[in-house]
């Protein structure tokens, strides 16, 4: 964890001196939270819950295609129990087509579920699409997909989170 914090600090300091045209802070809302388990070895009798009813907020700083983000969310875990997470993310984003942005990144999350209480690193990809503009601010939707490997007493899972970028300043 100390190495992750040091890496974020070094990234912030290098971005502060970088020359580029965009230097934005974005605020978003997280919703949904869907998953598909890659095995069912530890599944409950009725199967896993795969609609996690996530709700949360995310704020990220975007400079020169690098985004540093913080988020927090409440959700139901795969067994239907109340859970939460706090995450820090680093991602690189680029426009791959007009009105389509692709990002790759990694997040370090403190997660509390009925079966997991620890910090985990999760690589992800994110696809963002601006829907419209208000006062030169892109209002859009994004989907973040991650692969979480098998852990002790848990099955692997592919998870997707839907986010809505609401405000840029």
């Amino acid at each position: 964890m100390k190495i992750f914090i040091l890496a974020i600090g070094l990234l912030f300091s290098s971005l502060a001196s970088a020359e580029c045209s965009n230097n934005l802070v974005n605020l978003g809302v997280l919703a949904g939270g869907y998953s598909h388990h890659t095995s069912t070895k530890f599944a409950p009798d009725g199967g896993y819950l795969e609609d996690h009813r996530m709700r949360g907020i995310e704020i990220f700083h975007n400079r020169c295609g690098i985004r540093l983000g913080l988020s927090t969310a409440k959700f139901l875990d795969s067994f239907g129990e109340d859970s939460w997470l706090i995450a820090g993310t680093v991602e690189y984003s680029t426009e791959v087509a007009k009105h389509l942005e692709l990002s790759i990144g990694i997040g370090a999350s403190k997660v509390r579920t009925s079966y997991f209480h620890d910090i985990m690193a999760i690589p992800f990809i994110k696809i963002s699409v601006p829907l419209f503009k208000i006062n030169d601010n892109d209002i859009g939707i994004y989907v973040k997909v991650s692969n979480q490997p098998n852990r002790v007493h848990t099955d692997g899972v592919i998870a997707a989170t839907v986010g809505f970028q609401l405000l840029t300043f």
Side-chain angles (χ1 to χ4, degrees):
M1 187 63 177
K2 290 178 185 177
I3 292 173
F4 181 74
I5 292 170
L6 179 62
I8 288 177
L10 290 172
L11 188 57
F12 261 126
S13 64
S14 67
L15 289 176
S17 62
E19 294 291 327
C20 63
S21 60
N22 64 355
N23 186 10
L24 306 169
V25 175
N26 302 100
L27 178 65
V29 173
L30 302 173
Y34 306 95
S35 67
H36 175 73
H37 290 79
T38 56
S39 64
T40 57
K41 181 178 178 182
F42 298 103
D45 291 337
Y48 285 118
L49 175 72
E50 294 191 338
D51 175 1
H52 300 283
R53 300 183 190 123
M54 179 179 280
R55 57 221 176 269
I57 59 169
E58 180 172 45
I59 187 165
F60 49 91
H61 181 256
N62 183 10
R63 181 166 173 87
C64 304
I66 303 292
R67 287 194 177 131
L68 302 174
L70 291 172
S71 60
T72 185
K74 289 188 71 168
F75 60 98
L76 296 177
D77 69 15
S78 296
F79 293 91
E81 300 295 325
D82 286 332
S83 303
W84 57 264
L85 68 82
I86 297 172
T89 59
V90 176
E91 63 187 83
Y92 174 73
S93 121
T94 186
E95 189 173 65
V96 292
K98 187 172 177 141
H99 305 300
L100 181 65
E101 190 175 276
L102 180 66
S103 304
I104 58 170
I106 190 162
S109 301
K110 171 65 175 163
V111 179
R112 178 131 175 108
T113 67
S114 63
Y115 52 89
F116 188 78
H117 313 280
D118 207 348
I119 295 173
M120 66 173 132
I122 303 172
F124 63 87
I125 60 170
K126 183 165 88 174
I127 299 169
S128 305
V129 178
L131 300 175
F132 55 90
K133 285 188 177 280
I134 296 178
N135 298 331
D136 290 328
N137 290 321
D138 283 332
I139 307 299
I141 187 169
Y142 55 92
V143 177
K144 188 185 294 186
V145 179
S146 63
N147 180 23
Q148 301 165 25
N150 294 7
R151 300 189 188 286
V152 177
H153 303 299
T154 63
D155 292 310
V157 64
I158 297 170
T161 304
V162 178
F164 301 92
Q165 181 177 315
L166 299 179
L167 184 61
T168 302
F169 47 96

